[in-house]
Amino acid sequence: MSSGPEMDQQQWEALCEQCGLCCFEKIEDEDGRILFTSTPCRYLDITTRRCKIYKKRFKVFPECVQLTPELVKELKWLHRSCGYKKAMRKGIL
């Protein structure tokens, strides 16, 4: 699998393991710590862990974060078991 800008959208999305953890609300406290809540995005099917509006999520819900290799490297709130984080640790990103 190619990395970075050479990776096509299908390869990129295949890295996601559909855990849904990034789709739960998070709160940052005054010390910069990220606190995870048990409140999912209203478009997350909590049984399948899939977005109900996936193909049009950024149009319907502009607050949805579009993950990129650059963001995956920066974001502190992505869970360690995230498929994108795993790919980063393996040097794929």
Side-chain angles (χ1 to χ4, degrees):
M1 188 176 296
S2 56
S3 64
E6 299 166 13
M7 185 180 290
D8 70 27
Q9 191 65 26
Q10 188 173 4
Q11 290 172 314
W12 171 251
E13 291 187 12
L15 295 174
C16 179
E17 297 176 350
Q18 304 293 319
C19 71
L21 292 175
C22 62
C23 299
F24 282 79
E25 290 185 18
K26 293 156 277 307
I27 301 168
E28 185 173 356
D29 72 8
E30 60 277 353
D31 295 324
R33 289 181 298 212
I34 304 296
L35 308 169
F36 292 85
T37 72
S38 60
T39 305
C41 168
R42 64 181 161 194
Y43 300 111
L44 179 68
D45 180 321
I46 58 170
T47 302
T48 64
R49 298 293 186 156
R50 294 186 180 264
C51 179
K52 298 174 195 173
I53 58 165
Y54 188 79
K55 293 206 184 272
K56 56 185 177 181
R57 67 195 181 279
F58 303 119
K59 184 176 270 188
V60 173
F61 189 58
E63 294 82 16
C64 183
V65 176
Q66 186 168 7
L67 293 175
T68 63
E70 296 76 26
L71 271 180
V72 168
K73 291 173 186 173
E74 287 178 26
L75 293 175
K76 305 291 186 228
W77 52 260
L78 282 174
H79 197 272
R80 183 166 171 72
S81 66
C82 169
Y84 296 113
K85 285 288 194 181
K86 288 181 195 175
M88 186 178 73
R89 288 192 303 274
K90 291 178 183 175
I92 296 171
L93 298 182

